Amino acid sequence: MTPTDHHRPADEPVPGEDSGAGGADAPDGDEIMDFWELARGSAGLGRLAVVTGVGAQAGVAPPAWAFGDSPRLADELLGLVLDGVKTAASVSVAELEAAGEPVPSPGDLSIVLDGRGHPRALLRTTAVRVVPFDEVDDEHAEREGEDDRTLASWRHEHERYFRRVLAELGQEFEPTMPVVLERFECRFPAPRR
């Protein structure tokens, strides 16, 4: 994430934008379910349904969200995921708490939306750790795939992002604030290489 790849729930408004002027619209429930059916089968997640039938969990789409805090950033970061460059993301614990969202767990599935609110990718979380902002390492910065992929660039851009987003929550950026570092794999579509 740089301008950051923090998760923004699909139904959360984008600051300074309205959905009629290029902001990410709330996703269409039917479009999400159609995408989930396609992604689930293509990612090999529905094989047992042939034998056992579709269970309740398989029939319910995972959470849908967009990267960043603007449609432009959502599209930019999604493009890095689809190109196979971006395999990690970060979000402040404060953002998750404010949204009432839990820290992701390995195995979690999610649908990533583009800047217009359309489902474009199915991700599976592979690893999660929580560290202070100032302890994020070079490897994580490189896996986020943004800018020049260096830790210096990651810190610069993410500090800017966190200052902007946390100010909206009435909080301040602190170098020691906890940040969730998430690694993921794109299960659908296959990354472009």
Side-chain angles (χ1 to χ4, degrees), residues 134-171:
D134 59 4
E135 292 182 25
V136 172
D137 58 24
D138 293 302
E139 180 184 2
H140 183 80
E142 184 175 341
R143 287 181 181 275
E144 285 212 23
E146 301 163 30
D147 300 315
D148 65 4
R149 301 175 78 173
T150 64
L151 182 57
S153 174
W154 184 93
R155 284 195 174 137
H156 178 263
E157 293 300 326
H158 281 73
E159 181 175 337
R160 287 179 50 208
Y161 173 86
F162 287 131
R163 285 186 183 283
R164 184 173 70 239
V165 172
L166 292 174
E168 293 173 11
L169 300 175
Q171 299 186 37

Side-chain angles (χ1 to χ4, degrees), residues 11-95:
D11 59 351
E12 184 178 302
V14 178
E17 298 183 10
D18 63 54
S19 61
D25 293 324
D28 176 270
D30 290 337
E31 185 179 10
I32 294 288
M33 284 308 297
D34 290 346
F35 179 86
W36 173 232
E37 287 300 317
L38 179 63
R40 187 170 57 109
S42 294
L45 300 172
R47 293 185 184 140
L48 287 178
V50 173
V51 177
T52 62
V54 176
Q57 186 175 8
V60 176
W65 52 270
F67 284 112
D69 62 344
S70 71
R72 179 199 56 78
L73 186 54
D75 288 342
E76 176 185 322
L77 298 175
L78 173 63
L80 293 173
V81 169
L82 296 176
D83 287 342
V85 174
K86 182 174 189 55
T87 60
S90 56
V91 63
S92 70
V93 169
E95 288 174 87

